[in-house]
Amino acid sequence: MPFDPPPPTRTATLRRDSRAVAFWLLGVAGLVWIMVAIGGATRLTGSGLSIMEWAPLSGTLPPLSEAEWQRLYDLYRTIPQYQLVNQGFGIEGFKQIFWLEWLHRLWGRLIGLAYAAGLAWFWLRGRIPAGSKPRLLGLLALGGLQGAVGWYMVASGFEADRTAVAPYRLVIHLGLALLIFSALVWTALGLLRPEGRAPAEARPVRRMLKVAAWTLVGAMLAGGFVAGTRAGLSFNTFPLMDGQLVPDGYWLLSPAWTNLTANIAAVQFNHRLLASLTALFAAGAVWAALRRLPAGGARRAVLGFGAAVALQYALGIATLLYVVPVSLGTLHQAVAVLVLAAALVALHALRAAPLPASRVRTA
Ligand code: HEM
């Protein structure tokens, strides 16, 4: 007699659907991570201004004829970057900088497709867990906004006398990428492991971790200004800047606030300071975790975050000392996102996996 398995219970179906949606979101977050790395390489190779049109659909295909290459090259030759930086590099030189920007935009379209198609698929099958729909729609809107912000950033690079995009627009683009990445990861973690409240003994660890995570976000945005103003090409020593801990000319510009975004000495100092504070708070979180948490997933997650910060800090120093080669610059940008992911996983592990009170070591 054939064996009919019993129908899955409602809870089992819900759990299966939550897991499927979570893995899809994590997959999209992986695509976003690769996108950030491609974005770094695009910026560092000076490729970002090579496509002067905003053509979400027709731009999917690269130029397919010599006439089309010539048309795009002629467009590029009208902007200051060509005249001031690349004059005379010829259509072959243009083709070289074209491909990374094209890939960056193609990858953006791929992310949009993977997200929208996945959302439609889960939605039509009724597999999206209750309560997640508004957030998933919000993420779709944020993705669309990011495409528009990307173009808003690129367009600033075509303005008179500019050879690169406006730094604050680059930071908005980077910040939105980080927000989208974080929302994807956090939503997925919430679906994989229902939230609980950490016991009182674990809360100091989480508090310290939160401080470290917010400082990390600050350090990352400050890093965006370093990248945007190319501040990494100056003061290539560590820990001192021109022989001083705080460089001369920190307050060179006026009004004073413009030093935070446009003064190379101040911009680089701020990034170092915020990165160092992140490392300090991360070390604090690791210390607290070792003292207060029992061996297990939550403690490992905090230690993993600490290790990721240490790696990123070392990569930052190497990037600076070697005067920002494309490889190290891209790696530093890509690993920054992994550090953020590690912070989110650790924060979630402390919240989502309440520790049995008996296993918590008290101070
Ligand atoms: C917690 C540690 C750190 C984090 C999370 C971090 C994060 C970042 C991020 C997100 C960027 C911007 C990438 C972009 O938008 O293009 C950046 C750029 C940069 N960071 Fe860091 N950073 C850290 C530590 C350091 C340290 C310690 C140094 C050196 C002392 C450093 C030097 C640089 C330089 C030179 C750039 C510009 C690279 C470029 O032009 O591509 N970073 N950092």
Side-chain angles (χ1 to χ4, degrees), residues 37-50:
I38 299 175
T42 305
R43 177 178 55 75
L44 286 157
T45 51
S47 306
L49 299 181
S50 60

Side-chain angles (χ1 to χ4, degrees), residues 147-157 168-169 172:
V149 166
W151 175 246
Y152 170 70
M153 175 186 75
V154 167
S156 70
Y168 73 92
R169 293 197 196 184
I172 295 175

Side-chain angles (χ1 to χ4, degrees), residues 36 39-40 43-44 170-171 174 178 215-217 219-228 230-234 236-239 268 271-272 274-276 278-279 308-310 312-321 324-325 328-330 332-337 339-340:
V36 174
R43 177 178 55 75
L44 286 157
L170 184 132
V171 172
L174 175 71
L178 300 179
T215 321
L216 169 72
V217 172
M220 292 178 77
L221 296 179
F225 281 109
V226 179
R230 302 185 186 181
L233 305 180
S234 315
N236 299 96
T237 51
F238 186 84
Q268 201 195 110
H271 183 50
R272 289 177 184 221
L274 283 163
S276 303
T278 306
V309 170
Q312 175 69 352
Y313 198 92
L315 266 175
I317 295 175
T319 305
L320 183 75
L321 296 185
V324 197
L328 279 175
T330 306
H332 186 55
Q333 179 154 328
V335 174
V337 179
V339 182
L340 185 62

Side-chain angles (χ1 to χ4, degrees), residues 4 52 79 96 98 162 173 179 195 217 224 259 280 305 353:
D4 277 337
M52 298 188 54
I79 68 168
Q96 276 179 21
F98 176 90
R162 275 205 165 279
H173 189 53
L179 181 68
E195 287 158 16
V217 172
N259 287 290
L280 195 71
F305 169 63

Side-chain angles (χ1 to χ4, degrees), residues 206-293:
R206 193 155 196 272
R207 258 199 304 276
M208 183 54 94
L209 205 57
K210 262 192 188 169
V211 176
W214 280 113
T215 321
L216 169 72
V217 172
M220 292 178 77
L221 296 179
F225 281 109
V226 179
T229 56
R230 302 185 186 181
L233 305 180
S234 315
F235 303 104
N236 299 96
T237 51
F238 186 84
L240 300 183
M241 296 176 67
D242 242 356
Q244 320 212 46
L245 215 48
V246 184
D248 275 342
Y250 184 97
W251 293 113
L252 195 68
L253 304 181
S254 127
W257 68 266
T258 54
N259 287 290
L260 302 181
T261 59
N263 172 353
I264 284 178
V267 162
Q268 201 195 110
F269 176 79
N270 293 342
H271 183 50
R272 289 177 184 221
L273 180 66
L274 283 163
S276 303
L277 288 175
T278 306
L280 195 71
F281 295 138
V286 166
W287 187 71
L290 288 174
R291 267 169 53 96
R292 289 175 178 270
L293 303 181

Side-chain angles (χ1 to χ4, degrees), residues 8-185:
T9 63
R10 193 170 147 61
T11 325
T13 310
L14 274 177
R15 198 175 304 135
R16 196 198 59 197
D17 287 349
S18 293
R19 282 176 70 80
V21 172
F23 283 124
W24 159 63
L25 291 175
L26 288 177
V28 177
L31 293 179
V32 172
W33 175 63
I34 295 174
M35 181 74 168
V36 174
I38 299 175
T42 305
R43 177 178 55 75
L44 286 157
T45 51
S47 306
L49 299 181
S50 60
I51 305 179
M52 298 188 54
E53 293 171 323
W54 165 246
L57 291 179
S58 60
T60 307
L61 287 179
L64 295 173
S65 66
E66 275 312 309
E68 183 59 4
W69 273 116
Q70 191 62 46
R71 189 183 72 79
L72 292 177
Y73 179 45
D74 287 345
L75 268 179
Y76 178 70
R77 282 197 294 175
T78 61
I79 68 168
Q81 188 189 59
Y82 172 76
Q83 281 140 24
L84 299 172
V85 181
N86 286 331
Q87 193 150 41
F89 75 160
I91 199 161
E92 289 311 315
F94 174 68
K95 285 180 184 175
Q96 276 179 21
I97 64 166
F98 176 90
W99 286 111
L100 262 177
E101 173 63 9
W102 178 77
L103 178 67
H104 189 54
R105 293 190 192 194
L106 184 74
W107 204 266
R109 291 179 176 99
L110 186 76
I111 295 176
L113 193 69
Y115 190 81
L119 186 61
W121 194 83
F122 283 115
W123 197 297
L124 292 175
R125 276 164 182 72
R127 293 186 63 185
I128 299 196
S132 296
K133 286 182 179 172
R135 191 187 290 200
L136 295 184
L137 286 177
L139 266 163
L140 184 68
L142 278 184
L145 182 66
Q146 176 70 331
V149 166
W151 175 246
Y152 170 70
M153 175 186 75
V154 167
S156 70
F158 303 144
E159 289 164 7
D161 296 332
R162 275 205 165 279
T163 59
V165 301
Y168 73 92
R169 293 197 196 184
L170 184 132
V171 172
I172 295 175
H173 189 53
L174 175 71
L176 194 51
L178 300 179
L179 181 68
I180 292 173
F181 178 84
S182 305
L184 285 166
V185 172

